Amino acid sequence: MTGLIKAIQFITILSTLFLTVSNAKKPNFIIFLADDMGYGDISSHGHPSQEYGAIDKLAAEGMRFTHWYSADVVCTPSRAALLTGRYPLRYGLSGGVRVLLPHHFSGLPKSEITIAEALKDVGYNTGIVGKWHLGINEATRTDGGHLPHNHGFNYVGSILPFTLVWDCDTSKVHMEEANRHRCFLYQNTTIIQQPIDLHNLSSRFLHDAKAFLHDNADHPFFLYYPLPQTHTPMFNMPQFANKSRRGRYGDQINEMAWTISEIMDTLKTLRLDEDTLVLFLSDHGPHSEVCSEGGDAGMLRGGKLSFFEGGIRVPAIAHWPGKIKPASVSHDVISTMDIFPTILELAGAKEQDQLLDGQSITDILFEKGHKSHEILFYHLERDVLAVRYNNFKIHFKAAGLPTEKFIKHFCPGGFPTKSVMLGENHIVALPFDSPLVYDVERDPGERYPLNPRDYDNVIREVREEIAKHFATVTPTKCLLYGNHANRKVIPCCNPPYCFCNFPGTQQ
């Protein structure tokens, strides 16, 4: 009997070793996604007064990207593109009011394959904490038909199913009380706070993220961590409030950096840091219309809602000790859509049946070569407003930018008097008499347009590429209009009051 027990124990040990070795071959992945953060917002990217923090440390220990582009200029389409590796135009998330609102019964189509779904197929555990903004309910206020568990995430911690918006402010700086019909915090599929109590939001997300890491220390994992910062309203835990030389916005950056440092320390404690690719980036450019409470695009022109460089070129960092060279810099043209094929290649996942617009950047990460995008398209439904083409940026149409008159009216002394989106949430596409052409290698701020007549051949090539691109796009109805909305799907924890703060929500 003793011999049988020893044999069983030996087999168990061998099985455990086999599983450990098998899983060790697969790297882990963490994506930190900042919200509305500008290219020039952090110390490592040139901000003169923002304090050095964990994000800058990631850059010092990893690779910083100077030409990383978002796929869109607002939250919903840019996040959809990250998770699918595809232009949001392909599945109806381009145009209309631009983002999914709580009364929309549409969301990221379930026919789209996400990173989480693809990784689950090859044995990964997948988790999300933080901001979702890719749909909530389909038919009722509680069905959760578009929430993350429907898109491949087998762990869903605390999430903002919609987003933070100006009218979620609980600081009484801008309003007396938050609008509870737009401000809710979920735990998986259940509302736990309505409106959101912002004072402990970062610690709540962090608690759930750490729990996921501890639970999956012996198993390959993917953690998607879309952070609440730096979207308005400004909020901070007491230890970060009024501490930054830069003011409230700087406090937000420092609290976000603390969150990231806690996760990185947890990876080291669990001895997972050398097995984990960590990516940090922003979803798109800064919200310039909220004045000093919006971010900084550095020398780049424009911001959120603008297809100038400030709206689409974002800070981005890759960190992987022993794999990515410390303090390295890539000047390759990279898209957020490249994350999907890169992660799938590293995880050994099969190629997807769906056409991907991203391309793997593993050779760039490991400095084995260069694979810049030759062309990137920026859509408003089936209209191409701008294109990055080799060294050139070409604008066919453009949305408005904040003027001195606008700033004087809405930003006295830098303080925002109200939340404003130029075009009232619609981008007003104004065609130019002839395309604006910039060499964004020599002129990244897009201040000096080139004479388009001298670049007829470039413009002609771009138009040909646009035609080829649209030949691959199946016409799809935009899901972001009023005909995809019904107020009956707006979340409400206890109708008709829609006010709750359930036990256990204090961290």
Side-chain angles (χ1 to χ4, degrees):
M1 189 67 177
T2 302
L4 179 60
I5 291 173
K6 288 184 177 180
I8 293 172
Q9 290 174 335
F10 180 69
I11 291 170
T12 302
I13 291 169
L14 282 179
S15 299
T16 302
L17 287 172
F18 174 77
L19 287 173
T20 301
V21 171
S22 177
N23 287 339
K25 294 177 181 177
K26 294 183 180 294
N28 307 308
F29 305 102
I30 297 177
I31 298 175
F32 292 113
L33 184 66
D35 196 358
D36 287 14
M37 182 177 172
Y39 183 86
D41 262 331
I42 48 179
S43 176
S44 58
H45 283 60
H47 198 282
S49 55
Q50 182 64 53
E51 290 80 7
Y52 184 94
I55 304 171
D56 308 295
K57 190 167 184 273
L58 287 180
E61 296 175 352
M63 178 175 284
R64 181 171 60 86
F65 300 90
T66 63
H67 288 68
W68 189 297
Y69 285 87
S70 172
D72 207 288
V73 295
V74 286
C75 298
T76 292
S78 64
R79 290 159 188 268
L82 184 157
L83 287 177
T84 64
R86 289 157 50 85
Y87 286 113
L89 172 74
R90 295 192 184 279
Y91 38 87
L93 292 182
S94 172
V97 295
R98 304 297 284 126
V99 297
L100 289 163
L101 299 170
H103 58 268
H104 278 114
F105 54 77
S106 53
L108 177 64
K110 294 184 180 69
S111 57
E112 288 298 309
I113 300 168
T114 67
I115 297 173
E117 289 171 308
L119 289 178
K120 278 181 70 175
D121 288 344
V122 290
Y124 277 73
N125 284 343
T126 58
I128 176 175
V129 297
K131 172 177 169 174
W132 175 238
H133 208 174
L134 291 174
I136 307 176
N137 296 317
E138 289 180 306
T140 70
R141 61 169 55 97
T142 58
D143 64 61
H146 295 297
L147 292 176
H149 70 280
N150 296 297
H151 293 282
F153 291 96
N154 52 22
Y155 172 83
V156 182
S158 299
I159 60 167
L160 298 171
F162 173 41
T163 183
L164 283 181
V165 287
W166 175 277
D167 44 4
C168 293
D169 183 26
T170 58
S171 68
K172 298 188 183 298
V173 170
H174 298 294
M175 58 192 60
E176 283 300 312
E177 62 179 36
N179 177 356
R180 59 187 182 275
H181 300 293
R182 290 168 65 85
C183 309
F184 16 79
L185 178 70
Y186 274 45
Q187 183 76 31
N188 197 350
T189 59
T190 303
I191 300 180
I192 58 174
Q193 285 181 346
Q194 189 173 8
I196 309 162
D197 184 352
L198 297 178
H199 89 275
N200 65 346
L201 189 62
S202 291
S203 59
R204 166 161 289 281
F205 289 155
L206 180 59
H207 175 273
D208 290 354
K210 284 184 175 181
F212 176 80
L213 295 180
H214 280 277
D215 289 345
N216 291 281
D218 298 320
H219 196 281
F221 64 79
F222 165 54
L223 175 62
Y224 178 45
Y225 198 156
L227 299 142
Q229 293 92 358
T230 56
H231 201 292
T232 55
M234 298 289 101
F235 68 93
N236 279 111
M237 299 166 66
Q239 62 264 44
F240 298 103
N242 303 312
K243 298 294 195 302
S244 174
R245 291 172 294 173
R246 190 178 172 188
R248 275 159 55 94
Y249 192 93
D251 291 338
Q252 281 254 296
I253 296 279
N254 291 340
E255 184 167 319
M256 176 169 58
W258 166 78
T259 298
I260 292 171
S261 71
E262 288 287 308
I263 293 295
M264 299 307 295
D265 287 347
T266 301
L267 287 178
K268 289 182 180 178
T269 299
L270 297 174
R271 298 182 180 179
L272 295 172
D273 54 321
E274 294 186 359
D275 301 319
T276 304
L277 170 62
V278 175
L279 296 172
F280 171 86
L281 66 154
S282 180
D283 57 350
H284 49 70
H287 189 180
S288 306
E289 290 79 45
V290 290
C291 322
S292 64
E293 294 189 6
D296 190 341
M299 69 179 300
L300 305 178
R301 183 181 182 189
K304 182 177 183 177
L305 280 171
S306 161
F307 290 94
F308 286 97
E309 291 290 281
I312 55 177
R313 198 190 298 201
V314 297
I317 299 164
H319 181 277
W320 193 350
K323 299 288 196 304
I324 294 176
K325 183 180 175 182
S328 52
V329 179
S330 168
H331 301 294
D332 297 278
V333 176
I334 294 170
S335 168
T336 295
M337 294 182 292
D338 297 341
I339 292 175
F340 186 107
T342 301
I343 285 180
L344 263 62
E345 179 182 341
L346 291 170
K350 65 179 181 180
E351 293 185 8
Q352 301 302 303
D353 294 333
Q354 292 179 324
L355 172 66
L356 295 182
D357 296 299
Q359 59 189 29
S360 174
I361 61 168
T362 54
D363 283 353
I364 295 171
L365 293 177
F366 307 139
E367 297 187 305
K368 295 181 179 178
H370 300 274
K371 197 176 182 182
S372 284
H373 279 274
E374 182 179 272
I375 192 164
L376 292 171
F377 305 97
Y378 289 92
H379 310 91
L380 186 61
E381 295 186 54
R382 288 189 64 83
D383 207 359
V384 172
L385 272 65
V387 168
R388 169 76 197 246
Y389 181 61
N390 295 322
N391 290 355
F392 297 102
K393 180 79 172 299
I394 301 175
H395 296 267
F396 296 99
K397 297 181 180 181
L401 295 172
T403 62
E404 290 298 323
K405 182 179 178 181
F406 174 95
I407 293 169
K408 183 177 180 180
H409 184 71
F410 288 108
C411 306
F415 182 82
T417 56
K418 63 184 293 187
S419 178
V420 176
M421 285 272 198
L422 290 177
E424 297 180 343
N425 290 326
H426 287 75
I427 290 182
V428 182
L430 304 173
F432 298 112
D433 293 334
S434 58
L436 290 180
V437 182
Y438 298 93
D439 183 336
V440 289
E441 286 287 359
R442 296 184 177 185
D443 176 23
E446 293 172 292
R447 288 169 173 81
Y448 311 107
L450 304 171
N451 187 337
R453 286 173 295 188
D454 295 337
Y455 294 89
D456 281 343
N457 60 324
V458 174
I459 295 170
R460 183 176 61 255
E461 290 169 7
V462 166
R463 292 191 187 280
E464 290 171 356
E465 291 298 324
I466 290 173
K468 291 178 187 176
H469 168 61
F470 276 121
T472 73
V473 178
T474 302
T476 303
K477 290 183 179 179
C478 177
L479 303 176
L480 299 170
Y481 280 108
N483 59 350
H484 288 87
N486 185 338
R487 299 195 69 82
K488 292 181 179 179
V489 303
I490 297 175
C492 180
C493 57
N494 58 343
Y497 306 104
C498 305
F499 183 91
C500 54
N501 191 0
F502 290 117
T505 57
Q506 301 298 316
Q507 292 289 340

